[in-house]
Amino acid sequence: MRFESFFERLRRFASRVMKGAARRLNRAAESPVLGTPSLPDWVRQEAIALAAIEPELITADGRADHYQYYHVPSIPLPGRIYEHVLSQIPEDTYTHVMLLPWLKQGGADRGALYHLRALKESNPSARILAIATEPADSPWKDRLPQDIPYIEFGLAAKEMDFNLQVQVLTRLLVQLRPAVIHNINSRCGWEAIKCSGLALCQHSTIFASLFCDDHNAQDTPVGYARDYLRSCYRSLERVFCDNSVYPGIWSKELGVPSDLFEVLPFPYDREVVRHSRNSPTGPRRVLWAGRLDRQKRPDVLAAIAERMPELLFDVHGGAVIGAADPAVKQLAALPNVVTHGFFSRLEDVVSDDHIAYLHTTAWEGVPTILFDVAAAGVPICAPDVGGIPDFVDRRWLISDFEDIDAYVEQLSLLASSDQERDVRRSRQYDVLEGERSWEAFYQRITAMPMYLGQDAIGGS
């Protein structure tokens, strides 16, 4: 009994010491910290007194001054950002939240606008919120329907650590509780799903869109699919893909279920008017338009132009991701290349003198600019990469995207034959009007279970 009583008294004594230390720490946390305070003498003495019970409280030579002071940090920035973002959102109830990096010129951005339009057309009462998570301008935000708020979260949170951005975005999504969350290329969104997918799934059905792999300098496949699919797929209802190639690649190489994917071909969303272009009256020209980034292989474009001095090359676009490729300077120096900078609409830069549209690329989903080219009545010369064969007849594609000779052969044929241009132009129109109609896209969207958020719409 005496033995038990002794240790019971020691236990109560240790408990009082710890509670006293906690009270002192709380008081210290409420006060500004000026420098790093020294260890209080009362803590040192109590550590020495308790060393008989717990020897590791002191050092081997009997000192108790090796402890470091810890001040519980106060980090108000996430709260301020959250309050600011929340104040920008006009309503507190939404059926859909779409997560984007930005809205600028690009196929994924165009696809996001297609999704938003289809959702509004399927039910005008749907309440949709778009959130951009990268600290970048969005020149295409004016293309959104006027009743869809566009929240530039990335710009508001750019001074905050990325992990804190993920936490704030997650908190926002949990607070909003939309019926549907759709992530299109937002890394912050992917991280939120990875870290808190189970919490987000309690009130929201999560969709994502993926298009293709990127490739690093070592030509290793990289991108959101490689980074997140394996850890996130259980939280996802479906992953939309604009081509039929990559779902099979990801399912095989990443081990995710094949039925996770839904192939959703992007449409051409304007009226198709078949143009019968006249034969060129001036020098034969080749049109190239897009991002002058590493993916689009401006070095291949420069090599083709150098091999074909008899043709003039109109190059529209500029670098969008990272620094400009070194080959851009080489292009500008060629006498048969005219660089025009960025463009708004492809139809503004096409003329009857363009005998072909040249598309150079190393990897791809299905580039939506090809739809504009087909609608303009310009034959396409492109490589057999990614989902391009979903739109362009494979017999006219370049099997190796670095085969300069094959590009030269195809462009020479198109430059010399009116009949060849007419055949390809007609086939492109057929595909555009059939497989790539807005009606076909709309029907696929409206048939997708859970995506319209009907329960939330009907109950609002």
Side-chain angles (χ1 to χ4, degrees):
M1 290 292 293
R2 291 181 179 177
F3 185 76
E4 292 179 358
S5 177
F6 172 73
F7 278 98
E8 179 62 23
R9 289 197 301 273
L10 282 177
R11 187 193 65 78
R12 290 198 298 268
F13 172 67
S15 177
R16 289 196 302 273
V17 170
M18 296 305 174
K19 288 179 180 178
R23 287 193 297 271
R24 288 172 173 81
L25 282 173
N26 284 335
R27 286 197 295 271
E30 293 170 359
S31 303
V33 179
L34 301 176
T36 302
S38 60
L39 186 71
D41 186 63
W42 66 267
V43 175
R44 183 181 297 105
Q45 294 303 323
E46 290 183 356
I48 293 172
L50 290 171
I53 301 172
E54 178 48 71
E56 292 185 5
L57 287 173
I58 60 175
T59 63
D61 56 359
R63 291 183 296 106
D65 55 2
H66 58 293
Y67 297 102
Q68 294 183 351
Y69 179 84
Y70 176 74
H71 175 70
V72 179
S74 174
I75 308 175
L77 183 59
R80 288 202 295 265
I81 298 298
Y82 181 78
E83 181 182 24
H84 170 74
V85 171
L86 207 58
S87 70
Q88 303 299 305
I89 300 176
E91 297 184 46
D92 59 358
T93 303
Y94 288 90
T95 58
H96 295 76
V97 170
M98 182 167 288
L99 302 176
L100 309 162
W102 49 57
L103 273 176
K104 58 177 66 175
Q105 184 176 3
D109 309 70
R110 195 164 166 176
L113 295 174
Y114 293 153
H115 278 275
L116 292 170
R117 174 184 165 186
L119 286 170
K120 292 301 294 184
E121 288 185 6
S122 65
N123 194 315
S125 65
R127 295 182 298 277
I128 306 171
L129 177 68
I131 301 177
T133 60
E134 290 293 324
D137 293 329
S138 295
W140 274 15
K141 64 184 178 183
D142 294 338
R143 300 191 180 199
L144 284 169
Q146 290 186 349
D147 60 344
I148 296 181
Y150 186 71
I151 307 302
E152 297 185 275
F153 174 87
L155 288 174
K158 64 183 179 180
E159 296 180 2
M160 192 163 56
D161 175 78
F162 178 70
N163 291 327
L164 291 176
Q165 291 181 31
V166 173
Q167 293 175 26
V168 172
L169 179 65
T170 302
R171 175 62 185 162
L172 186 65
L173 295 173
V174 170
Q175 182 81 12
L176 291 171
R177 296 172 63 172
V180 172
I181 297 171
H182 186 177
N183 182 18
I184 302 182
N185 281 357
S186 165
R187 181 170 293 280
C188 196
W190 275 114
E191 280 290 331
I193 297 168
K194 178 181 178 180
C195 298
S196 306
L198 184 60
L200 294 172
C201 285
Q202 299 307 302
H203 299 288
S204 303
T205 303
I206 306 176
F207 293 81
S209 290
L210 292 168
F211 306 99
C212 65
D213 287 328
D214 286 332
H215 291 258
N216 62 19
Q218 292 74 40
D219 202 31
T220 302
V222 296
Y224 294 127
R226 305 283 169 170
D227 291 344
Y228 294 105
L229 265 186
R230 281 180 291 190
S231 56
C232 294
Y233 78 88
R234 291 180 180 86
S235 300
L236 301 174
E237 178 70 19
R238 281 288 189 279
V239 173
F240 297 120
C241 188
D242 67 335
N243 65 85
S244 62
V245 175
Y246 276 97
I249 293 173
W250 292 326
S251 179
K252 178 181 178 181
E253 297 185 4
L254 302 179
V256 297
S258 59
D259 59 3
L260 175 70
F261 300 97
E262 183 75 19
V263 176
L264 185 65
F266 282 159
Y268 181 69
D269 58 347
R270 303 174 201 168
E271 182 183 1
V272 177
V273 178
R274 295 194 175 223
H275 298 277
S276 55
R277 291 198 169 275
N278 299 321
S279 297
T281 56
R284 281 159 166 68
R285 310 180 77 96
V286 173
L287 177 63
W288 190 100
R291 294 183 286 107
L292 284 168
D293 298 327
R294 185 172 64 90
Q295 174 191 355
K296 304 301 182 180
R297 296 302 299 266
D299 58 323
V300 172
L301 169 60
I304 296 168
E306 193 171 21
R307 285 277 302 276
M308 306 190 77
E310 71 278 10
L311 300 179
L312 293 179
F313 289 77
D314 290 307
V315 177
H316 295 263
V320 175
I321 302 173
D325 191 284
V328 174
K329 290 185 178 180
Q330 180 187 354
L331 270 171
L334 292 172
N336 61 330
V337 172
V338 182
T339 54
H340 299 269
F342 288 100
F343 63 100
S344 296
R345 302 187 312 162
L346 186 109
E347 50 264 41
D348 295 336
V349 301
V350 174
S351 75
D352 285 339
D353 289 335
H354 287 128
I355 53 91
Y357 173 80
L358 174 60
H359 188 82
T360 54
T361 185
W363 61 87
E364 219 40 284
V366 180
T368 54
I369 194 170
L370 298 185
F371 308 160
D372 296 326
V373 172
V378 181
I380 295 168
C381 178
D384 186 349
V385 167
I388 293 178
D390 287 350
F391 182 69
V392 181
D393 197 311
R394 183 167 258 135
R395 60 185 161 151
W396 295 321
L397 295 177
I398 310 301
S399 58
D400 179 355
F401 65 84
E402 294 182 308
D403 189 346
I404 307 302
D405 291 337
Y407 283 110
V408 170
E409 181 180 350
Q410 286 289 323
L411 290 175
S412 297
L413 176 61
L414 290 169
S416 62
S417 174
D418 291 347
Q419 181 181 1
E420 185 69 23
R421 293 196 299 274
D422 288 341
V423 168
R424 299 194 190 189
R425 184 183 298 121
S426 178
R427 173 58 183 160
Q428 291 171 184
Y429 277 128
D430 291 342
V431 176
L432 206 60
E433 291 178 323
E435 302 166 21
R436 299 289 170 166
S437 67
W438 175 256
E439 291 73 20
F441 177 80
Y442 179 80
Q443 288 173 9
R444 285 175 178 263
I445 285 286
T446 54
M448 176 57 53
M450 308 297 289
Y451 188 65
L452 300 183
Q454 292 289 10
D455 291 341
I457 295 172
S460 61

